Amino acid sequence: MSAAHGAAAQGGAAHGAAALFRELTGAEPAGLWSAPGRVNLIGEHTDYNDGFVLPFAIQHRTHVALGHRADRRLRVVSTFAPDAVEIAFDDLGALFPERRDDVEEWARYPLGVAWALLRATGAAPFAGVDLVFDADVPVGAGLSSSAAIEGATASALNDVWGLDLDGVALARAGRRAENDAVGAPTGIMDQMACMLGREDAAIFLDCRTLEAQVVDLGFAEAGLELLVMDTRVKHAHSTGGYGGRRVACERGAALTGVSALRDLGVADLDRARGLMDDVTFRRVRHVVTENQRVLDTVRMLHDEGPRAIGGLLRASHASMRDDFEISVPELDLAVATADRAGAIGARMTGGGFGGAAIALVDRELVPAVTAEVERAFAAAGHVAPLCFTVRPSRGAARD
Ligand code: GLA
């Protein structure tokens, strides 16, 4: 992976993909596409409960250089993994999902997207392609490096195969790849943010209808920055806690007689408490209150501006720490320290069990908050965090 987090690195990743393409094939790529990572401002573990989320695409992007082939084969190569993976279209169906472990993990994302697109559109009359990737979306930081690979692949194949699918259909193909080709039981938030991202705005998404609204954030006008604090605690949603939380949510919905937790409101919680064990109830309470917090955040942003949402960010983190239990000490420390150092609000972002926290901070306080968080991590004996600011950016597209 090309190292830097800064805006300059974007050109670097595009250049890296094209350079590796030339090195491998001796030819110029037919085109370059790219797709962003994302930060979720609020609405965590609500997407697979048919609820609401408010993510935005960030300036860190994954780039892909594409070249045509004369045969019906796909080859994927990247600057961040040593070996190329090559497969005939006709063998993709036998690979996913049953034999996905035969392919190295990163390659399941682009190959899984190709597989999902071929399934969604019927037969495969397409010509083969070489896809060469480079990325500056930090991996394992909870910023959806995987959705960025999926989005870049989906966007490129949609264009060169003339599929004419819209952003929502491409996001669905990305989620399909993630669920079936990679084996991570995630929702659709990351792929939707990656496909639909806009400069200076977040995407307010109803995950039941997939209706998306662009919501102005107004951070820049208010003199605010969104600081990411990557704890560097790695996580993977194909194993462990993520799937367990999803199962608990499904149990909670079944016990309350609704098809998804989206159908419960805060006023239903008293009744729900009597229908289930304490742990399941706390999982349910997180999702129900988090959905309400997303709605409240959208309203606050509109009515009062971004300085008014600090309390909602803090409440969201507390709910994930205490009720959903997906935080880790490093995330709690980053959030508490940023709050103490003067952030408007802070919370962990993404699936949890590691990854990054975000803090909404006055521009001039960014160096001080960063220094405090670094100091607190050093004092606690944690690996040094990576702190950098992100800005809402455009979604997947041809470069
Ligand atoms: C991961 C998943 C998303 C979503 C978040 C938690 O990022 O990929 O679908 O569930 O976790 O909000």
Side-chain angles (χ1 to χ4, degrees):
M1 186 121 327
S2 55
H5 291 302
Q10 292 175 52
H15 185 257
L20 181 57
F21 185 94
R22 279 185 214 108
E23 194 182 309
L24 282 169
T25 64
E28 284 299 314
L32 281 165
W33 283 258
S34 67
R38 67 96 190 91
V39 147
N40 189 18
L41 187 60
I42 196 160
E44 227 62 84
H45 287 260
T46 44
D47 60 351
Y48 57 77
N49 288 299
D50 276 4
F52 304 107
V53 293
L54 190 61
F56 62 86
I58 59 176
Q59 75 271 24
H60 302 85
R61 298 181 81 82
T62 288
H63 295 262
V64 63
L66 177 146
H68 298 289
R69 297 172 62 105
D71 55 15
R72 283 166 44 83
R73 297 177 75 79
L74 274 164
R75 178 166 60 151
V76 294
V77 191
S78 80
T79 55
F80 43 87
D83 297 321
V85 177
E86 193 177 320
I87 187 166
F89 285 154
D90 299 334
D91 294 337
L92 278 174
L95 191 62
F96 297 130
E98 287 80 15
R99 287 180 34 228
R100 61 182 173 226
D101 291 344
D102 292 358
V103 189
E104 68 174 293
E105 199 187 339
W106 85 268
R108 293 176 211 162
Y109 294 95
L111 294 179
V113 168
W115 166 74
L117 288 173
L118 293 174
R119 282 186 62 136
T121 53
F126 309 114
V129 285
D130 286 325
L131 297 168
V132 179
F133 294 87
D134 193 11
D136 60 31
V137 186
V139 169
L143 302 180
S144 285
S145 53
S146 55
I149 298 179
E150 292 154 8
T153 308
S155 181
L157 294 180
N158 188 45
D159 285 355
V160 298
W161 287 349
L163 301 178
D164 208 21
L165 297 172
D166 64 11
V168 175
L170 297 178
R172 283 185 199 276
R175 179 182 51 179
R176 178 111 207 225
E178 186 107 15
N179 291 170
D180 296 339
V182 178
T186 57
I188 200 165
M189 167 173 74
D190 304 342
Q191 293 78 14
M192 288 291 281
C194 175
M195 292 311 307
L196 304 183
R198 296 283 186 92
E199 308 258 332
D200 303 320
I203 304 297
F204 171 41
L205 179 67
D206 179 334
C207 297
R208 171 165 279 168
T209 61
L210 295 189
E211 201 181 306
Q213 276 173 48
V214 175
V215 170
D216 285 337
L217 290 169
F219 290 168
E221 303 85 86
L224 299 176
E225 295 279 354
L226 208 282
L227 180 68
V228 170
M229 301 166 287
D230 174 6
T231 63
R232 299 170 71 193
V233 177
K234 300 293 176 212
H235 67 284
H237 295 323
S238 48
T239 52
Y242 186 97
R245 295 304 181 278
R246 193 168 175 151
V247 169
C249 291
E250 281 159 12
R251 187 167 55 240
L255 289 169
T256 44
V258 292
S259 69
L261 292 182
R262 148 71 174 274
D263 297 316
L264 298 180
V266 174
D268 297 313
L269 285 173
D270 272 349
R271 181 177 66 89
R273 189 193 292 270
L275 298 173
M276 58 193 76
D277 62 277
D278 178 59
V279 171
T280 308
F281 173 68
R282 287 187 292 112
R283 306 300 188 242
V284 169
R285 182 166 61 188
H286 164 71
V287 173
V288 171
T289 57
E290 185 79 349
N291 270 328
Q292 188 59 48
R293 281 186 288 271
V294 176
L295 299 175
D296 292 347
T297 302
V298 171
R299 187 171 38 79
M300 286 276 197
L301 283 168
H302 181 266
D303 293 353
E304 297 179 40
R307 287 181 181 275
I309 68 170
L312 291 162
L313 300 179
R314 277 193 294 277
S316 172
H317 186 76
S319 179
M320 289 188 282
R321 183 191 59 211
D322 302 336
D323 273 356
F324 219 57
E325 297 182 279
I326 54 171
S327 191
V328 295
E330 288 85 345
L331 286 167
D332 292 341
L333 183 63
V335 166
T337 309
D339 275 336
R340 215 173 34 244
I344 297 209
R347 61 185 285 278
M348 53 148 280
T349 188
F353 306 101
I358 53 172
L360 188 58
V361 181
D362 273 293
R363 189 168 299 135
E364 59 276 17
L365 274 183
V366 167
V369 172
T370 301
E372 276 305 310
V373 171
E374 286 169 354
R375 231 189 327 267
F377 270 57
H382 297 323
V383 173
L386 283 174
C387 298
F388 51 96
T389 57
V390 290
R391 52 174 198 280
S393 301
R394 71 195 170 96
R398 187 166 187 160
D399 285 345

